[in-house]
Amino acid sequence: MKNPNHPKKGDKITVEPIREVRDIESIKKLLSGNTRDLLLFTMGINNGLRCGDLLKIKVGQVKNLKPNETLIIVEQKTGKTNVLMVNKSTHKILKQYLDEVKSNDEDYLFKSKKGENQPLTVGSVNGMVKEWCRSINLKGNYGTHSLRKSFCYLQRTKFGIGFEILCKRLNHSSPS
């Protein structure tokens, strides 16, 4: 039987942000036993970068970053530069993760368990995000883009960051 929740080819899929800080904290608690996934989730909701760009990061690019330092990345989709900001909570999890995995500089930060030094895929992370949200009983459609949207939603509602600034941060060519 065909999956009724799966859209038809060519359909636009809309996912929601995780709107409540308590839900974000619940997911972090859920992931506390899996440092790789906790780091991925934390980086995603704290930066607003596309998942594909996070997955391309290598250990050598971030291993010496201190809190409040940034990494310049080139976005895969747009070719524009953007920054990965390492705040205190991200730094703490990053340090813990790197101590656990003992990786080489050329290893992908978010390495898949399948294959030799391959990063997770956007599709596999999409499924992970859906599962995390389902596990804490969030209703709605969630996926990798939910992390990016959650960053924006919280910046806008909790910190009052203006729409124009968020558009610039996301490298959108126009506010529309």
Side-chain angles (χ1 to χ4, degrees):
M1 183 178 161
K2 196 171 182 183
N3 183 348
N5 294 322
H6 192 71
K8 292 184 213 101
K9 190 172 177 80
D11 280 358
K12 194 170 185 175
I13 303 169
T14 303
V15 295
E16 298 174 46
I18 302 166
R19 291 180 175 86
E20 300 294 330
V21 173
R22 71 175 182 269
D23 293 331
I24 288 170
E25 293 304 321
S26 293
I27 292 173
K28 284 183 173 184
K29 187 175 179 183
L30 174 75
L31 299 177
S32 64
N34 185 331
T35 316
R36 180 198 69 181
D37 294 355
L38 178 60
L39 178 61
L40 178 60
F41 179 75
T42 304
M43 276 187 171
I45 62 166
N46 282 305
N47 278 284
L49 297 172
R50 288 180 185 87
C51 182
D53 294 328
L54 289 174
L55 297 177
K56 297 293 180 210
I57 296 171
K58 295 202 172 178
V59 169
Q61 294 176 279
V62 295
K63 74 176 187 181
N64 295 318
L65 290 178
K66 308 264 184 289
N68 301 319
E69 288 187 336
T70 58
L71 169 69
I72 304 291
I73 62 164
V74 177
E75 291 181 340
Q76 204 174 10
K77 182 177 178 180
T78 65
K80 296 176 184 176
T81 59
N82 207 331
V83 293
L84 169 78
M85 176 65 134
V86 177
N87 63 13
K88 286 180 185 175
S89 68
T90 301
H91 181 263
K92 181 180 174 185
I93 300 163
L94 175 63
K95 185 173 174 358
Q96 180 185 346
Y97 178 61
L98 292 177
D99 287 345
E100 285 176 14
V101 294
K102 307 285 187 232
S103 296
N104 298 316
D105 286 359
E106 288 305 309
D107 288 346
Y108 286 101
L109 185 61
F110 301 109
K111 201 170 9 174
S112 171
K113 292 181 174 98
K114 300 175 185 171
E116 193 76 20
N117 192 28
Q118 293 298 312
L120 291 167
T121 64
V122 173
S124 65
V125 176
N126 198 55
M128 291 161 54
V129 173
K130 287 181 182 302
E131 181 57 36
W132 302 336
C133 292
R134 224 181 350 257
S135 293
I136 65 160
N137 296 315
L138 272 183
K139 304 295 181 230
N141 192 29
Y142 299 91
T144 54
H145 216 61
S146 294
L147 304 181
R148 184 170 159 94
K149 286 183 172 188
S150 299
F151 167 79
C152 291
Y153 182 84
L154 292 172
Q155 292 297 308
R156 185 85 176 109
T157 60
K158 190 172 180 189
F159 303 109
I161 303 297
F163 189 67
E164 294 77 20
I165 293 170
L166 287 173
C167 287
K168 188 173 175 102
R169 174 69 180 98
L170 296 174
N171 266 337
H172 287 176
S173 54
S174 75
S176 61

